[in-house]
């Protein structure tokens, strides 16, 4: 054992091994040692047998209290890692686990993790050219890659954000300001919203993500400015209903400013009819935003390309690489089809990006963002594309879709299960049907029981949602390594638990 590592365990304080600042003289030596001990713990986490420990909230609270009592005196990294393992790594939810089937949390690819380590170590703030130099070019390269691959115009542009919620917020902000500028020559950025904004309306399907409502509130239009349009039997926005609601809205004196097409709804993975929505957006002079937080990456696949017909007509689009491109959180982009529209949020600060320094060859990405200091999240994607390559990444997307469809085909005729739709993306929404029972309250109780006992066991994690007032279970499938046989075995466990409920009650 080297002198350093020996001392670091025995006498951490004298050894000053707690110093991890990169400006500490021995930091470079420490780096190897730190990374090595850390990877041991990560490997331990990755080989864990359960989705989560199943320990009660009370137990976890006690554990946390005990660890807090140890206080904030310095200790060796090894000691801190051991504490972290007991408190967090042994308990927390493992998204890479084959039976983690609940939310839109994907397993992550290794090159992206390496990219994240480098991004944090270098600590680039990707806001102005003078702070990030070639990092600026690499983020721009990733933006240009995705805009051209999905078929946006040559004038398209984009920026990395913290997630779909922020991307949607920024899109609706641009939509609002663009409408006011085009129709009233009003510069909202300068003078704030005017009286007309009281009547601004944003249209989206009733299956769209709640961040549309939240964004409307944050940009001063309020929840009530969001008009939700009914969906058809495939959970896709009903275009006839959209048209009649637009007409009604105008007749009532309201001002439709934008429509959001969701490509990949959170619960059902359904795709709104983009091409028809684009025609209406054009006819009614609306900003067309695509929320592709979940389904956006599927534009790259042969299987789903057709859902993106009309993409050249959109104004803005959200894509989350941390939902379905196997990237660690955060990795999301807001894309716009006409880069001029970023002027609605750009700002020039004397100390950071004064207008007189503006230079096309040395762009300041801050002009496209509502953030100032911003992480170099694009590096993860850059590493992923360099190491794994585009083709392989796209095949993972096709794999998870095939897996979902295959599982559905094998299970759809099961008398004890009721599926509500044929999947178009990677979610399955279903419930357990107790034989010979028609009482809805019993179905609800049984399915809640199934979800809870599975979660408490720590062995399987599934999600749930409501559809037409009824309680359903949900699989979100994002792991290309899963097999339909594994999923059928989870469905068997679900049926066993359903039968168990009957016996107990
Ligand atoms: C998850 C999701 C969002 C929000 O994205 P975050 O990255 O979680 O902020 C927005 N829209 C849709 C359709 C989503 O599924």
């Amino acid at each position: 054992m080297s002198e350093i590592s020996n001392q670091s365990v025995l006498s951490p304080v004298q050894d000053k091994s707690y110093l991890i600042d990169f400006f500490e003289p021995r930091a470079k030596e420490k780096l190897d040692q730190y990374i090595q001990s850390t990877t041991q713990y990560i490997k331990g986490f990755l080989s864990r047998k359960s989705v989560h420990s199943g320990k009660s909230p009370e137990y976890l609270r006690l554990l946390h209290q005990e660890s807090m009592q140890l206080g904030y005196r310095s200790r060796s990294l090894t000691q801190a890692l051991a504490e972290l393992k007991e408190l967090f790594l042994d308990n927390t939810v493992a998204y890479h686990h084959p039976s983690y089937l609940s939310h839109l949390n994907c397993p992550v690819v290794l090159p992206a993790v390496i990219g994240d380590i480098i991004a944090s170590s270098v600590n680039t703030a990707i806001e102005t050219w003078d702070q990030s130099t070639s990092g600026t070019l690499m983020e721009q390269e990733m933006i240009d890659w995705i805009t051209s691959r999905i078929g946006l115009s040559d004038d398209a542009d984009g920026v990395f954000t913290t997630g779909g919620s922020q991307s949607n917020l920024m899109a609706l902000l641009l939509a609002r300001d663009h409408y006011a500028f085009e129709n009233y020559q009003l510069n909202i950025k300068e003078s704030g919203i005017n009286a007309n904004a009281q009547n601004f309306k944003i249209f989206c399907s009733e299956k769209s993500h709640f961040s549309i409502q939240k964004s409307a509130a944050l940009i001063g239009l309020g929840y009530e400015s969001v008009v939700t349009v009914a969906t058809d039997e495939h959970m896709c926005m009903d275009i006839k209903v959209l048209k009649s609601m637009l007409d009604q809205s105008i007749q009532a004196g309201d001002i439709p400013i934008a429509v959001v097409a969701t490509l990949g709804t959170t619960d059902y993975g359904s795709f709104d009819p983009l091409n028809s929505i684009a025609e209406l957006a054009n006819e009614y002079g609306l900003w067309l935003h695509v929320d592709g937080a979940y389904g956006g990456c599927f534009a790259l696949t042969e299987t789903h390309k057709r859902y993106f017909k009309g993409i050249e007509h959109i104004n803005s689009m959200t894509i989350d690489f941390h939902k379905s491109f196997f990237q660690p959180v955060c990795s999301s982009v807001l894309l716009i089809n006409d880069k001029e529209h970023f002027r609605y949020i750009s700002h020039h600060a004397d100390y950071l990006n004064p207008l007189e320094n503006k230079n096309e060859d040395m762009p300041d990405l801050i002009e496209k963002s509502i953030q100032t200091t911003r992480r170099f999240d694009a590096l993860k994607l850059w590493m992923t594309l360099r190491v794994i390559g585009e083709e392989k990444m796209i095949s993972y997307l096709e794999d998870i879709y095939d897996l979902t469809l295959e599982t559905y085909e094998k299970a759809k005729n099961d008398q004890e299960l009721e599926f509500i739709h044929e999947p178009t993306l990677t979610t399955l929404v279903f419930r357990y049907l107790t034989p010979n029972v028609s009482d809805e309250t019993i179905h609800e109780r049984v399915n809640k029981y199934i979800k809870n006992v599975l979660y408490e066991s720590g062995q399987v994690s599934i999600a749930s949602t409501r559809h037409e007032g009824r309680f359903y279970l949900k699989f979100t499938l994002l792991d290309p390594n899963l097999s339909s046989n594994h999923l059928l075995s989870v469905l068997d466990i679900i049926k066993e638990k359903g039968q168990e409920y009957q016996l107990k009650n």
Side-chain angles (χ1 to χ4, degrees):
M1 205 184 256
S2 78
E3 202 187 72
I4 296 166
S5 63
N6 197 10
Q7 281 185 2
S8 71
V9 178
L10 298 178
S11 50
V13 179
Q14 284 117 305
D15 183 48
K16 295 201 174 177
S17 66
Y18 57 90
L19 280 179
I20 53 159
D21 312 293
F22 277 6
F23 48 79
E24 198 252 342
R26 291 209 321 246
K28 276 178 259 161
E29 275 170 65
K30 285 259 172 285
L31 186 61
D32 282 342
Q33 191 194 324
Y34 270 39
I35 293 215
Q36 240 171 49
S37 17
T38 303
T39 51
Q40 293 311 313
Y41 283 89
I42 298 176
K43 285 198 295 201
F45 170 72
L46 291 176
S47 40
R48 228 180 52 193
K49 294 278 178 285
S50 57
V51 177
H52 65 96
S53 67
K55 294 282 197 296
S56 69
E58 294 75 24
Y59 176 89
L60 293 176
R61 230 167 247 292
L62 275 177
L63 206 60
H64 184 218
Q65 265 161 19
E66 270 174 35
S67 106
M68 282 203 303
Q69 271 156 17
L70 296 175
Y72 304 114
R73 266 175 303 115
S74 70
R75 64 200 72 157
S76 70
L77 181 77
T78 328
Q79 286 168 322
L81 283 170
E83 189 184 329
L84 182 74
K85 176 179 183 303
E86 206 189 328
L87 180 61
F88 177 66
L89 296 173
D90 285 351
N91 294 300
T92 196
V93 183
Y95 304 151
H96 64 274
H97 192 283
S99 296
Y100 177 79
L101 307 168
S102 2
H103 299 288
L104 279 161
N105 305 111
C106 53
V108 296
V109 289
L110 194 49
V113 174
I114 301 300
D116 222 356
I117 293 175
I118 297 173
S120 292
S121 306
V122 180
N123 196 29
T124 294
I126 202 88
E127 57 201 269
T128 55
W129 174 268
D130 70 331
Q131 292 174 84
S132 58
T133 65
S134 45
T136 305
L137 303 177
M138 291 161 73
E139 170 163 327
Q140 195 63 49
E141 176 195 338
M142 291 299 95
I143 293 291
D144 295 344
W145 168 74
I146 191 69
T147 54
S148 68
R149 289 292 276 106
I150 64 175
L152 296 185
S153 78
D154 291 344
D155 293 325
D157 198 0
V159 69
F160 275 73
T161 70
T162 55
S165 305
Q166 187 192 340
S167 298
N168 285 343
L169 171 68
M170 288 173 65
L172 293 178
L173 185 82
L174 298 182
R176 181 198 67 179
D177 289 18
H178 183 65
Y179 191 91
F181 183 76
E182 291 288 304
N183 293 280
Y184 316 117
Q185 288 71 53
L186 183 75
N187 183 344
I188 290 190
K189 187 170 80 178
E190 301 267 339
S191 48
I193 49 180
N194 69 346
N196 285 324
Q198 292 250 315
N199 299 321
F200 282 1
K201 297 284 177 210
I202 297 161
F203 291 74
C204 59
S205 102
E206 59 186 4
K207 304 288 191 289
S208 66
H209 193 258
F210 66 82
S211 56
I212 305 300
Q213 271 83 358
K214 273 180 90 169
S215 300
L218 289 167
I219 62 172
L221 303 183
Y223 284 178
E224 286 173 12
S225 70
V226 178
V227 180
T228 53
V229 179
T231 49
D232 63 18
E233 72 272 26
H234 305 295
M235 323 297 160
C236 309
M237 188 191 279
D238 188 323
I239 195 77
K240 286 202 199 78
V241 178
L242 173 62
K243 186 168 168 53
S244 77
M245 288 184 95
L246 284 167
D247 290 336
Q248 274 171 33
S249 171
I250 292 165
Q251 264 160 30
D254 287 331
I255 308 171
I257 62 162
V259 56
V260 178
T262 310
L263 296 188
T265 56
T266 313
D267 273 342
Y268 309 96
S270 50
F271 290 80
D272 288 339
L274 181 61
N275 210 25
S276 321
I277 295 174
E279 278 169 27
L280 285 185
N282 182 41
E283 186 182 331
Y284 288 81
L286 310 177
W287 180 282
L288 172 51
H289 174 62
V290 169
D291 182 357
Y294 172 20
C297 286
F298 283 78
L300 305 171
T301 66
E302 282 307 312
T303 45
H304 287 70
K305 250 188 356 210
R306 62 197 164 99
Y307 295 112
F308 294 81
K309 198 161 171 276
I311 190 106
E312 65 279 14
H313 303 300
I314 70 166
N315 294 100
S316 56
M317 178 165 180
T318 293
I319 297 181
D320 272 3
F321 299 109
H322 64 217
K323 288 273 184 71
S324 49
F325 212 61
F326 315 103
Q327 300 294 295
V329 175
C330 304
S331 182
S332 175
V333 286
L334 168 69
L335 308 175
I336 61 174
N337 217 358
D338 178 355
K339 58 173 164 248
E340 289 301 314
H341 292 151
F342 272 133
R343 70 172 182 272
Y344 298 119
I345 50 172
S346 64
H347 182 86
H348 291 277
D350 290 336
Y351 83 94
L352 208 53
N353 59 335
L355 197 54
E356 74 252 28
N357 286 5
K358 201 170 163 67
N359 179 343
E360 292 273 297
D361 294 331
M362 304 188 325
D364 297 323
L365 299 186
I366 190 176
E367 287 174 23
K368 302 190 277 185
S369 184
I370 56 174
Q371 295 166 263
T372 304
T373 309
R374 189 159 61 81
R375 282 178 54 84
F376 187 15
D377 284 319
L379 180 54
K380 291 177 279 197
L381 183 61
W382 185 93
M383 270 289 192
T384 302
L385 293 176
R386 288 293 192 277
V387 178
I388 299 181
E390 202 179 20
E391 199 180 334
K392 185 83 190 157
M393 290 302 290
I394 294 170
S395 77
Y396 288 156
L397 296 179
E398 289 171 351
D399 289 348
I400 55 178
Y401 168 64
D402 289 345
L403 168 77
T404 311
L405 201 57
E406 188 182 322
T407 309
Y408 169 76
E409 290 297 338
K410 286 181 176 169
K412 69 178 181 191
N413 294 325
D414 193 319
Q415 295 299 310
E416 286 176 89
L417 298 173
E418 177 195 54
F419 288 83
I420 60 169
H421 76 321
E422 179 176 331
T424 46
L425 204 51
T426 71
T427 63
L428 290 174
V429 185
F430 61 94
R431 61 179 181 166
Y432 173 75
L433 285 183
T434 308
N436 308 318
V437 167
S438 56
D439 186 345
E440 278 300 327
T441 56
I442 295 187
H443 287 318
E444 172 145 349
R445 245 181 265 152
V446 178
N447 282 279
K448 280 186 172 161
Y449 170 84
I450 295 171
K451 187 188 171 193
N452 292 338
V453 290
L454 290 183
Y455 188 80
E456 281 160 17
S457 77
Q459 298 307 308
V460 178
S461 174
I462 57 177
S464 60
T465 190
R466 271 190 193 281
H467 177 66
E468 290 173 357
R470 294 172 180 170
F471 186 83
Y472 282 87
L473 305 174
K474 182 172 85 159
F475 284 174
T476 306
L477 304 172
L478 296 168
D479 182 349
N481 283 319
L482 291 187
S483 70
S484 63
N485 282 342
H486 169 67
L487 296 170
L488 291 176
S489 72
V490 174
L491 287 172
D492 283 340
I493 298 175
I494 287 172
K495 288 190 286 182
E496 269 165 37
K497 295 295 167 195
Q499 290 149 9
E500 181 182 288
Y501 179 90
Q502 281 162 266
L503 294 177
K504 280 191 182 168
N505 291 275

